[in-house]
Amino acid sequence: MTRAAVVLLAATVPATFAIGMLISDGKRDAGDSLIQLLFLLVTAALGVAVILLINAWMTRNSSLSDGADPASRRRVKAALRDGSTADPRIDALARKEAEQQVRRRWVFWALGAVMALQTLNAISTDRTSTRWTAALAALFWAVLLYQHWRTTQRARRYLAGPT
């Protein structure tokens, strides 16, 4: 299990308790708390599982996992970040990775759609806890959208550079 997966799983438990407090609007008697807690834990675990599966699928389908060693992976990331490299082997891997990143347009639109739905949910509800949860989720999706946009811009800049 990767370090990111461990951090994600460790962050799920406190986030689940925070969401539970938001769902009950801070009231102590909001139904059977054990049932609510189990429901929240199952929902959070499913969310984490989906995220980890998508991450594993995207990593497995990445050109960097075609047998490149970890040092080469770091050099490819650095080349994409810097915009060029002198090593022809790293340049070929970086170009392959950049082409794949540019082809992932659907991720941008999917993140944008989910962010728009969360924003609509935050605006249209009367319940304070739902408004906070939806606003935080919209902020989360906005950050992911920005990171994807920035990575795609770097990939385009790398492909436009000299070969």
Side-chain angles (χ1 to χ4, degrees):
M1 187 175 284
T2 65
R3 187 180 321 164
V6 172
V7 169
L8 187 60
L9 288 172
T12 300
V13 174
T16 301
F17 284 109
I19 291 170
M21 287 303 296
L22 287 172
I23 286 174
S24 67
D25 279 334
K27 299 175 191 155
R28 289 193 86 115
D29 188 23
D32 190 0
S33 58
L34 183 60
I35 299 281
Q36 285 183 347
L37 178 63
L38 289 175
F39 176 72
L40 288 170
L41 287 174
V42 167
T43 305
L46 285 175
V48 168
V50 167
I51 290 170
L52 290 175
L53 286 173
I54 290 172
N55 185 37
W57 176 76
M58 290 182 86
T59 303
R60 186 177 59 244
N61 290 331
S62 173
S63 63
L64 293 179
S65 62
D66 287 342
D69 57 300
S72 295
R73 292 178 192 196
R74 284 191 297 274
R75 291 175 63 196
V76 166
K77 283 184 181 181
L80 288 171
R81 186 182 58 243
D82 299 339
S84 65
T85 183
D87 186 353
R89 187 176 71 82
I90 298 299
D91 181 59
L93 283 172
R95 287 197 178 279
K96 195 173 177 186
E97 181 66 24
E99 287 168 358
Q100 276 193 343
Q101 180 62 35
V102 169
R103 281 195 299 257
R104 290 185 190 135
R105 279 188 220 116
W106 65 271
V107 174
F108 184 80
W109 293 108
L111 291 173
V114 173
M115 187 187 75
L117 288 173
Q118 288 294 336
T119 303
L120 184 63
N121 189 22
I123 292 170
S124 66
T125 187
D126 292 334
R127 193 169 175 197
T128 306
S129 61
T130 305
R131 182 168 287 146
W132 275 101
T133 305
L136 288 173
L139 179 65
F140 169 75
W141 292 112
V143 168
L144 286 178
L145 186 67
Y146 170 74
Q147 287 177 339
H148 180 73
W149 173 80
R150 187 183 66 191
T151 304
T152 303
Q153 291 301 328
R154 285 180 178 172
R156 285 187 178 143
R157 185 184 71 205
Y158 192 86
L159 290 173
T163 53

